[in-house]
Amino acid sequence: DAGVIQSPRHEVTEMGQEVTLRCKPISGHDYLFWYRQTMMRGLELLIYFNNNVPIDDSGMPEDRFSAKMPNASFSTLKIQPSEPRDSAVYFCASRLGGRGLNEQFFGPGTRLTVL
Amino acid sequence: AQSVTQPDIHITVSEGASLELRCNYSYGATPYLFWYVQSPGQGLQLLLKYFSGDTLVQGIKGFEAEFKRSQSSFNLRKPSVHWSDAAEYFCAVGAGGSARQLTFGSGTQLTVLP
């Protein structure tokens, strides 16, 4: 398996522009998580999906952020409009559900810079 | 709500020396515990995990961790550090339920001297 795939790996944009980050989870995993990593706040959970349905979006910072999962193999995180304080590394992770100690597998991340 | 504390922001050790990274957690029930490692520009890779059973857990790359319920700790150890171990290390606690949302500590940056 190729692991969790994220694109783009790097994104530089100007304030006010729309940004879309993409994630392909590991095939068969039924949970998908979006995280944001910054120096100030560390790793924060933004939202997670179960079987393509958003379950908990309490970590989404504000209405400018939205996430979708139209099918089991694709998810997007959109920021519109973007602001400099959104600059961070955004990680996607997926996990096989169930009662076992199944860990989350992380993608390589997307480094977002908003100028 | 669960929380994780990694009291050491940065640790420096010499190659070949032993290593211990500290992790303390707060969780109301039996915790699911994880250690991840992040190399520069990379995602997080799982080193080891624990929920029940033997409190000394073996992981990849020669790492081990010991769960101590009385101290709410899950410290990571390695008997002899290699230069390639230089990275940032994150301890995480997973919530109950099938989702197992993770709460991460702030991380410990490890520098290895030649």
Side-chain angles (χ1 to χ4, degrees):
Chain A
D1 198 313
V4 177
I5 299 172
Q6 291 186 248
S7 64
R9 290 295 309 276
H10 301 272
E11 178 79 39
V12 180
T13 190
E14 293 189 344
M15 182 174 63
Q17 296 299 305
E18 177 180 295
V19 175
T20 299
L21 311 181
R22 297 172 177 80
C23 175
K24 176 179 169 55
I26 292 173
S27 177
H29 283 190
D30 48 352
Y31 284 90
L32 183 139
F33 304 82
W34 281 100
Y35 292 87
R36 178 173 66 176
Q37 185 180 37
T38 61
M39 289 291 292
M40 291 297 295
R41 300 176 66 89
L43 269 160
E44 303 173 278
L45 176 64
L46 300 177
I47 185 172
Y48 77 90
F49 295 81
N50 177 216
N51 292 324
N52 314 337
V53 177
I55 302 300
D56 185 351
D57 65 354
S58 59
M60 297 285 261
E62 48 197 279
D63 292 345
R64 297 185 297 106
F65 286 69
S66 63
K68 294 182 180 179
M69 192 165 186
N71 57 62
S73 59
F74 184 65
S75 177
T76 60
L77 178 67
K78 185 175 294 187
I79 309 172
Q80 166 62 20
S82 59
E83 296 182 3
R85 60 190 167 129
D86 302 330
S87 298
V89 181
Y90 291 81
F91 288 103
C92 176
S94 70
R95 177 180 173 274
L96 185 63
R99 299 181 63 183
L101 190 52
N102 302 319
E103 70 267 27
Q104 292 183 22
F105 291 83
F106 283 77
T110 295
R111 182 173 294 277
L112 174 64
T113 302
V114 183
L115 303 175
Chain B
Q2 65 256 37
S3 66
V4 178
T5 301
Q6 293 182 248
D8 304 307
I9 297 173
H10 193 187
I11 284 184
T12 300
V13 299
S14 298
E15 191 168 19
S18 64
L19 172 70
E20 182 169 28
L21 303 182
R22 295 183 289 166
C23 171
N24 292 96
Y25 68 89
S26 173
Y27 186 62
T30 301
Y32 295 82
L33 294 165
F34 305 83
W35 274 100
Y36 282 87
V37 60
Q38 184 181 27
S39 298
Q42 303 296 314
L44 280 74
Q45 180 185 21
L46 182 74
L47 286 176
L48 46 79
K49 57 188 178 182
Y50 173 80
F51 175 62
S52 64
D54 191 344
T55 56
L56 186 62
V57 182
Q58 302 298 319
I60 63 171
K61 303 185 180 186
F63 285 92
E64 65 179 27
E66 186 171 13
F67 172 65
K68 293 185 177 180
R69 183 185 300 276
S70 61
Q71 299 177 18
S72 296
S73 70
F74 189 56
N75 294 349
L76 183 71
R77 301 194 294 246
K78 187 170 185 177
S80 177
V81 171
H82 188 262
W83 64 266
S84 60
D85 293 325
E88 189 154 22
Y89 292 79
F90 292 91
C91 181
V93 60
S98 185
R100 207 84 79 247
Q101 305 100 291
L102 296 180
T103 298
F104 285 88
S106 54
T108 297
Q109 182 69 47
L110 174 65
T111 297
V112 180
L113 301 177

